[in-house]
């Protein structure tokens, strides 16, 4: 009986073990049932998550594209504002460039022909002759007529200027009668006005202290009732500035300027003494008159022809010519400039260099 009881006990244990296994199986089934409901797979479908990620990526790309477009619009607006701000500067640069090109295209050369009037009675007697309106001597007219054949006085002139005093007008008629109707008679081309010393000679004035001071410092001392030196220089400079302005604004039709002559201005009279009795010492290194030539620089056989520079004729007085020489010749002053003789012709070939007109040597 004890053996059977032991057997029964082991059988009961086996049964209990089987029951426990069955329970564990039931728990596993319940767990699987909870994790995977009836009729559904235990593996989830990945498609909705991919769609969501794709949609989010597309939205981010759209936002980035919009940001790029906004940045481009802002850059375009900024560029337009900068361009508008630069427009005045660009216009100025363009005008400056065009002006420089035009200046280079224009022939910035000018031939100046200066003629001092012929002898008068006071010139012959070595008297100071300024504003006094004397005629030429008869023999002076004949001598001047012989100059009319000079090449420098032939051909065409863009401008013809003449002092309005009689001795200069008669000189123009004698040397270039064909230019009389073209002439502009300008009182700014008169000599220095000697005032109370008009008609006097050196011997009559040499003991006068005022006169001696004027000889030493004509730019500081003025003759009694005469013209101050600064006034004399101012009117001559005014004349030259107007001439240059008209030349630089000229029309280039047919390669020659064609502006209408301006009306001469009326200024106080003025005069400088004849060369023989000039109170201003003349240096021995004075610049001589430029040789008169009938033609320009010879061209090489294959060189294109260049039109001659415009020409200006000025019939005036010795003091005016000396002042123009001082203004247009490097290193020359009124005191060192050569005083032309009555009836002498001087030719200046001028070139504009860095905004200033200067005499240049003429090649032959």
């Amino acid at each position: 009986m004890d053996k059977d009881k032991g057997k029964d006990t082991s059988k009961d244990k086996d049964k209990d073990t089987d029951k426990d296994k069955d329970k564990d199986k039931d728990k596993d089934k319940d767990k699987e049932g909870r994790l995977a409901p009836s009729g559904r797979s235990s593996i989830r479908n990945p498609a909705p998550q991919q769609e969501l990620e794709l949609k989010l990526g597309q939205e981010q790309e759209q936002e980035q594209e919009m940001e790029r477009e906004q940045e481009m619009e802002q850059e375009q607006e900024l560029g337009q504002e900068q361009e508008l701000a630069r427009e005045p500067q660009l216009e100025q640069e363009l005008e400056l460039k065009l002006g420089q090109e035009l200046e280079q295209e224009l022939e910035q050369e000018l031939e100046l022909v200066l003629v001092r009037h012929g002898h008068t009675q006071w010139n012959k007697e070595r008297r100071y002759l300024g504003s006094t309106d004397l005629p030429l001597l008869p023999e002076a007219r004949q001598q001047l007529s012989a100059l009319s054949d000079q090449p420098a006085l032939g051909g065409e002139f863009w401008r013809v200027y003449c002092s309005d005093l009689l001795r200069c007008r008669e000189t123009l008629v004698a040397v270039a009668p064909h230019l009389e109707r073209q002439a502009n008679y300008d009182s700014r081309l008169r000599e220095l006005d000697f005032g109370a010393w008009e008609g006097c000679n050196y011997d009559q004035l040499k003991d006068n202290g005022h006169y001696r001071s004027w000889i030493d410092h004509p730019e500081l001392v003025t003759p009694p009732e005469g013209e101050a030196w600064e006034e004399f220089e101012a009117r001559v400079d005014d004349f030259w500035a107007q001439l240059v302005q008209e030349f630089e604004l000229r029309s280039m039709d047919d390669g020659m300027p064609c502006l209408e002559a301006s009306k001469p201005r009326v200024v106080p009279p003025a005069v400088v003494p004849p060369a023989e009795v000039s109170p201003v010492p003349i240096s021995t290194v004075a610049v001589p008159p430029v040789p008169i030539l009938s033609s320009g620089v010879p061209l090489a056989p294959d060189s294109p022809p260049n039109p001659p520079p415009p020409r200006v004729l000025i019939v005036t007085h010795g003091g005016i010519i000396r002042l123009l020489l001082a203004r247009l010749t490097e290193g020359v002053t009124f005191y060192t400039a050569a005083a032309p003789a009555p009836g002498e012709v001087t030719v200046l070939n001028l070139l504009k260099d860095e905004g200033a007109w200067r005499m240049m040597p003429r090649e032959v």
Side-chain angles (χ1 to χ4, degrees):
M1 289 195 54
D2 295 332
K3 290 180 181 178
D4 292 336
K5 286 181 182 179
K7 291 179 182 178
D8 292 338
T9 302
S10 64
K11 286 181 181 179
D12 291 337
K13 288 181 180 180
D14 291 337
K15 288 180 181 179
D16 292 337
T17 302
D18 292 337
K19 287 181 181 179
D20 292 336
K21 290 181 179 179
D22 291 338
K23 287 180 181 179
D24 291 337
K25 288 181 180 179
D26 292 338
K27 288 180 181 180
D28 291 339
K29 287 181 180 179
D30 292 340
K31 188 176 181 179
E32 289 177 0
R34 287 194 300 270
L35 293 174
S38 177
R40 294 183 183 179
S41 171
S42 61
I43 302 174
R44 297 183 64 186
N45 186 3
Q49 184 176 357
Q50 292 177 352
E51 291 178 357
L52 179 60
E53 293 176 353
L54 180 61
K55 184 176 181 181
L56 291 174
Q58 290 175 346
E59 290 178 353
Q60 289 179 351
E61 290 181 357
Q62 290 176 355
E63 290 178 357
Q64 293 175 355
E65 183 66 24
M66 291 178 63
E67 290 178 356
R68 285 195 295 269
E69 290 179 356
Q70 290 177 353
E71 289 177 357
M72 291 178 62
E73 290 178 357
Q74 291 176 354
E75 289 178 357
Q76 290 178 353
E77 291 177 357
L78 180 61
Q80 291 175 353
E81 291 177 357
Q82 291 177 346
E83 187 175 349
L84 290 173
R86 273 182 53 83
E87 278 185 1
Q89 181 180 356
L90 291 173
E91 290 179 0
Q92 293 177 356
E93 292 176 354
L94 180 59
E95 290 177 358
L96 178 61
K97 184 177 180 181
L98 291 175
Q100 291 174 344
E101 292 177 354
L102 180 61
E103 186 173 348
Q104 291 175 355
E105 291 176 2
L106 292 175
E107 195 68 33
Q108 295 295 299
E109 293 184 22
L110 185 66
E111 183 178 285
L112 199 62
V113 180
L114 306 173
V115 181
R116 184 185 175 187
H117 66 80
H119 280 92
T120 67
Q121 185 63 35
W122 282 12
N123 293 137
K124 187 176 180 179
E125 296 172 355
R126 300 168 64 86
R127 298 176 182 273
Y128 283 106
L129 175 60
S131 60
T132 305
D133 201 10
L134 296 183
L136 295 176
L137 292 171
E139 57 269 26
R141 295 193 188 93
Q142 296 177 358
Q143 294 171 354
L144 292 170
S145 298
L147 298 177
S148 61
D149 295 334
Q150 291 194 32
L153 297 173
E156 297 181 357
F157 285 88
W158 166 59
R159 286 283 192 272
V160 176
Y161 295 99
C162 183
S163 166
D164 62 344
L165 295 180
L166 182 59
R167 56 188 181 276
C168 291
R169 298 169 69 101
E170 291 181 342
T171 298
L172 173 62
V173 173
V175 300
H178 62 290
L179 298 175
E180 182 183 7
R181 296 183 61 181
Q182 185 184 343
N184 295 279
Y185 297 99
D186 198 322
S187 59
R188 290 174 295 180
L189 293 174
R190 291 185 180 188
E191 266 287 15
L192 179 70
D193 184 355
F194 296 107
W197 297 339
E198 284 278 330
C200 298
N201 58 32
Y202 176 76
D203 290 334
Q204 292 173 311
L205 298 170
K206 63 182 180 180
D207 297 326
N208 185 318
H210 191 175
Y211 172 74
R212 301 300 307 183
S213 298
W214 175 72
I215 289 179
D216 295 334
H217 302 286
E219 71 281 4
L220 301 177
V221 181
T222 302
E225 304 175 16
E227 182 179 18
W229 185 262
E230 61 182 9
E231 295 175 355
F232 171 63
E233 286 187 317
R235 61 180 170 88
V236 176
D237 289 342
D238 183 60
F239 163 80
W240 177 251
Q242 181 181 339
L243 187 156
V244 168
Q245 182 182 31
E246 291 182 356
F247 172 76
E248 293 176 350
L249 295 177
R250 72 197 188 284
S251 166
M252 293 305 293
D253 292 344
D254 300 326
M256 289 292 291
C258 57
L259 284 177
E260 294 210 4
S262 59
K263 188 178 293 185
R265 304 183 199 179
V266 177
V267 297
V271 176
V272 161
E276 297 84 356
V277 295
S278 173
V280 182
I282 300 173
S283 170
T284 56
V285 295
V287 178
V290 179
I292 298 172
L293 301 173
S294 59
S295 61
V297 180
L299 300 172
D302 298 332
S303 300
N306 292 323
R311 305 172 69 219
V312 175
L313 175 64
I314 300 179
V315 181
T316 184
H317 309 264
I320 300 293
I321 295 176
R322 291 178 66 185
L323 187 55
L324 288 174
L325 285 171
R327 293 288 191 264
L328 300 172
T329 310
E330 194 72 32
V332 174
T333 68
F334 182 88
Y335 305 97
T336 61
E344 186 173 332
V345 179
T346 303
V347 178
L348 302 182
N349 298 296
L350 305 179
L351 175 67
K352 187 177 182 182
D353 182 24
E354 297 182 355
W357 286 92
R358 294 296 180 193
M359 187 173 68
M360 64 178 180
R362 191 68 163 178
E363 299 179 10
V364 292

